[in-house]
Amino acid sequence: MKRSFSAILGCGMSAAVLCAAFPAVGQLPPAEAALAVKSAKLASRAGASAPANSSTGIFLKSTVPTKPQPALAPYPLMSKVLHSFTGAPKDGAVPVGQLMQASDGNYYGTAYAGGTSGNGTIYQLTPAGQYTEIYSFTGGNDGGQPYAGLIEAADGNLYGTTAIYGQFGDDSAGGTIFAYNMATQKVTTLYGFRNGGGALGDAIDDGNGTLYGTSLSDGEKGYGSVWSWNYYTNTFKTLYSFQGSADGAEPFGGLVLASDGRLYGTASQGGKVNNGGTAFTLNTDGSEFTAFYSFTNFETGLDGGAPSQDLVEGPDGNLYGTSSSGGFQNVEGALFRIVPNGVNSVLEPLAALGQDELAEGGNPFLGRPLIGGDGYMYIVGSVGGYEGAGQVMQFDYQGNLTATVYNFEQPNDGYAVEPTGGLIETADGSLYGTAELSPFSSGILYALPTQLPPALTLTPSVTTGYVGIPLTLNWSVNNAFSQNASVCIARSTDGTFGGNGSDGIREPIGSEQVTPVASGVVSYYLTCGGIETAIATVTVNRIQSKTNVLHMNTPLTYGQGLVFSTKVAGTMGTSVPTGTVSLMNGTKVLGTAVLSGGLATINASSLSLVPGVYSLQVAYSGDGTFAASTAPASTVTVNLLVPTVTLTASPNRLTQGLPTKFNVAMSNGGIDLPSGYVSLTIGSTSLGSFRVGGGVATIEFSTTPYAAGTYAVVATYQGDAYNKTEKATTSLTLTLAETASTLTGPTTMSAGSGATYHVAVSRFNLPESPTGNVSLMFGSKVVATGILSNGQVTIQVPANAVAAGTYSVQAKYAGDTSDGDSWSPAFSVKVSK
């Protein structure tokens, strides 16, 4: 028949102990109850009366000393509190399940109480110690109160179970199977137990897509079941339903898939003797179920009763487990060995646990014995030890307690009590576990720095690698002997080592060459048994590249295209760099090109470079495989443009005194129009400098100061930042100006007396006045001369200069450097005696 969950907890173990430790479902045990719990346990042991060596044939490991002594000196270590649980609604509480380390390097676990609705949580703890609650169970279809720890399956998801609620359960039965996707950080409810539920033990993975587990009260008669869940097909199967009699009832712990290919487990109740539970085996398809051993509660040997932990396979091929209780004074369960042989398997009790006379831990509750990297087994007793609050113990495979590793309820562990889950070993040889209670918190995560040799090692051939260059990973796992513990999944942050599903499964010992595909810190993970992970970290760099300039055109003229032929090669490996190269002037990009076969030709304009000498570099941007690099600097000379200078005079032949215009035009191939100044020289005389605008300078020029003649005109363009100094020449011809002379004076005169005549010489429509000499002609005889002043002159004819007679009189202007000669009109003068 079906039992309530609170009754299951009370009846499956010692009622005085478990009912104190686990109150009614849905209640969060108060932190301050820890001391009362311990007192109740000690009181329950004090009330027992069986002697240490009784007639039942039980032989305890030593006689009773005068005062409690450890079997061996404890390790000189101090525990470290990784997290103290605060309880609902902000945090989980009572972490009874086993911690695990996933393939992302983080630790994950469950707390069966606390959270926003008091129904338990899933949490994450990073290696750096950052704690995060990642999910709170609602008590609805997603279930509540996860007792079991989590396991990472070959598909990369974490799987776990809840003990109550769900689609088909209430607060006394039910529960769910769920998955947590580490990539999406989402929890998915996969299955709800239909016939009672109460999955408390840890699930295992066969690596082929199937999880195996047990339930406390599921099955056709409500006495529990063995079940499987295929995470590829999402199908549930009940492999066996317990009948509640000789076959056993209420399996608390999980299963082991032994190296013989069969499933082995224990039931906490039922059996043939004292309702102490059974050990059973069955095939993975559910066939050939056999309960090959019934626990006697120490009636016939050191076996105890109510086994609640998972089994583990040792290096000798045998299975090891614990029972949690017993009926004798100062005894809290036992360590046993199973010699697996299918239906003919044999269980051999090895040692009683929890003996107060030995200050020994007892009552191992959940999780499984841990096979450490040193080859010993480590078992957590939830009670006992020096303080009676629990103890971590080291055993050999003959059942000898070889060391008491740690005793709980100390200041450095927050006075924690009830370490109920099992242990995992971390890469640094520490042991991580959970304790469910403390006077100051609702449970803790703890670390014991035991410095054990690592059970899992994953070692890269190099700690610094390169993209595209293979490296070798070597690994070894020395605590994976069962088939489920031997499911080792390889994964890496860059996807080059393993992956989900069968592609990611590796043998426990191996070597593999991997080729990094991207730079950065790459972490490689090997997760075995779904709970322990070895991590290797390699800093992957891009391969150094070397950039060289094969050819460049220099010197060049401003505006001419730059051409750089470039080669980029790697310093190792056979890959050829890809990506782009850029021609750089400091931080300015002049041009880019795409590599092809490691070669590229960069074409760029020099227009952004003022003529001068430059140190240019070709920079390779890098790609996913090769690091960026820069070629040695290249010296490039950009020369000034040579402009074409044209000088014209309009007109270039004119009468002296008339104005002309000089036009200086400069061009340089249509790039930037020259600017600056033009100087102009006529003959040896400089006219000064004139600003250039739009490539042209126009100069108005007066010829007045210049004598008639032909002049060489030189225009000198003085250049600018982009253009050289250049000259142009032309000629300017000035012709003599035409003149007009007029003569006025008397028309008669006496031969013996003089006369005065006035001559005026002018230029036609031109400024200035002619200069020079004027002759007064009487006939063909020059009788007098004069020099022009302002174009005029008065000439005095001397007395007796002219004989009597009649003469044709004219004035003759001889001209000057600017003016041509001219004759005045003639008139007749009569000279009397």
Side-chain angles (χ1 to χ4, degrees):
M1 67 178 181
K2 293 185 178 181
R3 291 166 168 78
S4 70
F5 196 67
S6 57
I8 290 170
L9 292 175
C11 298
M13 310 267 299
S14 169
V17 174
L18 287 182
C19 289
F22 296 89
V25 172
Q27 287 185 314
L28 171 64
E32 58 270 17
L35 295 177
V37 170
K38 187 188 75 169
S39 298
K41 293 184 177 183
L42 295 176
S44 69
R45 292 202 297 268
S49 57
N53 295 296
S54 69
S55 59
T56 61
I58 299 175
F59 180 73
L60 303 182
K61 290 193 290 294
S62 67
T63 57
V64 179
T66 56
K67 63 179 180 177
Q69 293 289 329
L72 293 174
Y75 285 18
L77 56 83
M78 300 283 284
S79 71
K80 177 182 179 181
V81 175
L82 302 173
H83 178 69
S84 294
F85 291 84
T86 59
K90 294 183 179 180
D91 193 9
V94 195
V96 296
Q98 179 161 318
L99 198 64
M100 59 85 67
Q101 187 176 22
S103 64
D104 63 355
N106 295 314
Y107 301 94
Y108 293 87
T110 59
Y112 101 89
T116 55
S117 63
N119 285 290
T121 65
I122 303 171
Y123 60 83
Q124 177 197 76
L125 181 73
T126 68
Q130 178 65 45
Y131 172 87
T132 304
E133 179 187 314
I134 57 179
Y135 187 76
S136 284
F137 290 94
T138 67
N141 287 343
D142 60 345
Q145 296 194 357
Y147 273 75
L150 301 171
I151 179 175
E152 183 172 356
D155 66 349
N157 291 319
L158 305 187
Y159 290 89
T161 59
T162 60
I164 61 173
Y165 299 120
Q167 184 178 2
F168 302 101
D170 54 23
D171 64 351
S172 62
T176 62
I177 302 172
F178 63 84
Y180 173 68
N181 187 306
M182 291 183 288
T184 64
Q185 300 182 343
K186 292 185 184 269
V187 172
T188 302
T189 301
L190 303 173
Y191 180 78
F193 290 97
R194 300 170 182 268
N195 300 314
L200 305 181
D202 301 314
I204 60 172
D205 177 32
D206 68 356
N208 295 314
T210 302
L211 302 177
Y212 297 95
T214 62
S215 68
L216 197 70
S217 58
D218 203 51
E220 60 187 24
K221 292 191 176 182
Y223 287 103
S225 68
V226 178
W227 52 266
S228 69
W229 171 262
N230 189 293
Y231 46 80
Y232 291 136
T233 61
N234 289 331
T235 53
F236 178 87
K237 182 179 179 181
T238 298
L239 301 178
Y240 182 77
S241 293
F242 288 89
Q243 305 300 303
S245 56
D247 63 339
E250 300 178 2
F252 228 100
L255 304 165
V256 62
L257 180 57
S259 55
D260 65 0
R262 291 178 63 91
L263 296 169
Y264 292 83
T266 59
S268 66
Q269 296 191 40
K272 299 176 181 178
V273 184
N274 292 333
N275 198 33
T278 63
F280 61 83
T281 181
L282 72 163
N283 289 320
T284 56
D285 63 359
S287 63
E288 293 188 4
F289 175 91
T290 299
F292 58 84
Y293 185 82
S294 293
F295 288 88
T296 70
N297 271 325
F298 294 111
E299 182 172 317
T300 61
L302 299 178
D303 63 350
S308 62
Q309 278 198 314
D310 311 336
L311 300 175
V312 66
E313 185 169 339
D316 55 3
N318 296 319
L319 311 180
Y320 292 85
T322 62
S323 58
S324 63
S325 64
F328 292 89
Q329 183 179 11
N330 304 329
V331 175
E332 292 279 5
L335 170 65
F336 60 81
R337 171 172 60 211
I338 295 173
V339 181
N341 189 21
V343 297
N344 298 312
S345 299
V346 175
L347 187 145
E348 300 174 348
L350 296 177
L353 302 175
Q355 301 172 74
D356 274 358
E357 293 80 3
L358 301 178
E360 183 185 68
N363 189 198
F365 183 44
L366 291 174
R368 62 177 62 79
L370 168 70
I371 298 177
D374 58 357
Y376 286 93
M377 281 188 297
Y378 290 84
I379 296 173
V380 180
S382 64
V383 298
Y386 293 160
E387 305 297 333
Q391 185 183 76
V392 177
M393 300 164 284
Q394 182 194 74
F395 284 88
D396 64 18
Y397 296 100
Q398 286 70 49
N400 297 308
L401 177 64
T402 49
T404 56
V405 178
Y406 184 77
N407 293 277
F408 285 86
E409 199 177 24
Q410 297 185 46
N412 55 285
D413 62 26
Y415 295 96
V417 299
E418 302 283 347
T420 50
L423 297 165
I424 59 170
E425 183 183 348
T426 61
D428 64 357
S430 297
L431 301 178
Y432 279 24
T434 63
E436 63 175 283
L437 295 173
S438 163
F440 310 107
S441 69
S442 297
I444 67 163
L445 304 179
Y446 64 85
L448 303 177
T450 47
Q451 298 182 344
L452 299 178
L456 282 69
T457 60
L458 179 63
T459 306
S461 57
V462 295
T463 56
T464 299
Y466 295 91
V467 177
I469 304 298
L471 60 91
T472 301
L473 296 172
N474 297 286
W475 65 89
S476 176
V477 184
N478 64 7
N479 67 347
F481 305 106
S482 64
Q483 287 195 22
N484 60 280
S486 299
V487 176
C488 294
I489 304 299
R491 294 188 178 91
S492 64
T493 52
D494 67 353
T496 60
F497 184 47
N500 293 335
S502 59
D503 290 342
I505 295 179
R506 299 293 187 271
E507 293 296 325
I509 298 177
S511 177
E512 185 173 324
Q513 194 175 75
V514 296
T515 302
V517 295
S519 60
V521 177
V522 179
S523 294
Y524 301 93
Y525 304 95
L526 188 72
T527 302
C528 295
I531 60 171
E532 288 189 316
T533 297
I535 305 173
T537 300
V538 175
T539 299
V540 177
N541 297 318
R542 291 184 293 174
I543 298 172
Q544 292 298 312
S545 64
K546 186 175 183 180
T547 301
N548 286 306
V549 175
L550 303 179
H551 174 75
M552 60 181 175
N553 59 329
T554 187
L556 66 156
T557 302
Y558 174 73
Q560 182 181 349
L562 288 160
V563 180
F564 271 66
S565 296
T566 302
K567 180 179 180 180
V568 183
T571 58
M572 63 178 68
T574 58
S575 298
V576 178
T578 61
T580 60
V581 286
S582 300
L583 182 60
M584 308 294 296
N585 177 26
T587 60
K588 185 175 182 179
V589 178
L590 301 180
T592 61
V594 178
L595 288 172
S596 176
L599 300 173
T601 297
I602 304 173
N603 291 286
S605 171
S606 65
L607 289 177
S608 62
L609 302 177
V610 175
V613 178
Y614 292 88
S615 181
L616 304 183
Q617 288 183 292
V618 174
Y620 169 51
S621 62
D623 60 12
T625 302
F626 293 92
S629 61
T630 302
S634 298
T635 300
V636 174
T637 300
V638 180
N639 291 325
L640 291 164
L641 288 164
V642 179
T644 299
V645 180
T646 304
L647 172 62
T648 59
S650 179
N652 70 336
R653 184 178 183 86
L654 72 163
T655 301
Q656 193 280 337
L658 290 176
T660 190
K661 182 182 294 184
F662 292 107
N663 188 77
V664 185
M666 289 141 288
S667 64
N668 54 16
I671 300 175
D672 287 331
L673 290 174
S675 60
Y677 292 86
V678 169
S679 62
L680 199 66
T681 301
I682 298 180
S684 61
T685 302
S686 173
L687 299 183
S689 295
F690 305 91
R691 183 179 293 276
V692 175
V696 175
T698 301
I699 304 161
E700 297 286 345
F701 174 67
S702 173
T703 64
T704 300
Y706 295 86
T710 299
Y711 295 87
V713 182
V714 179
T716 302
Y717 170 54
Q718 297 174 5
D720 60 13
Y722 304 98
N723 297 274
K724 286 182 63 177
T725 297
E726 282 294 306
K727 294 181 178 182
T729 62
T730 190
S731 63
L732 176 67
T733 299
L734 301 179
T735 60
L736 293 173
E738 293 183 10
T739 59
S741 297
T742 61
L743 176 64
T744 61
T747 58
T748 63
M749 62 177 287
S750 296
S753 62
T756 301
Y757 289 86
H758 182 79
V759 180
V761 182
S762 64
R763 313 175 78 190
F764 289 112
N765 300 317
L766 289 176
E768 303 296 329
S769 298
T771 61
N773 297 317
V774 177
S775 299
L776 182 64
M777 305 288 294
F778 275 68
S780 60
K781 181 181 179 181
V782 177
V783 297
T785 62
I787 299 174
L788 291 173
S789 175
N790 292 325
Q792 297 185 40
V793 65
T794 299
I795 300 175
Q796 182 70 39
V797 179
N800 302 317
V802 180
T806 301
Y807 295 91
S808 176
V809 179
Q810 283 182 292
K812 179 184 178 182
Y813 170 57
D816 60 16
T817 58
S818 299
D819 303 286
D821 58 2
S822 61
W823 291 81
S824 67
F827 62 89
S828 180
V829 175
K830 185 177 181 181
V831 179
S832 63
K833 290 183 179 182

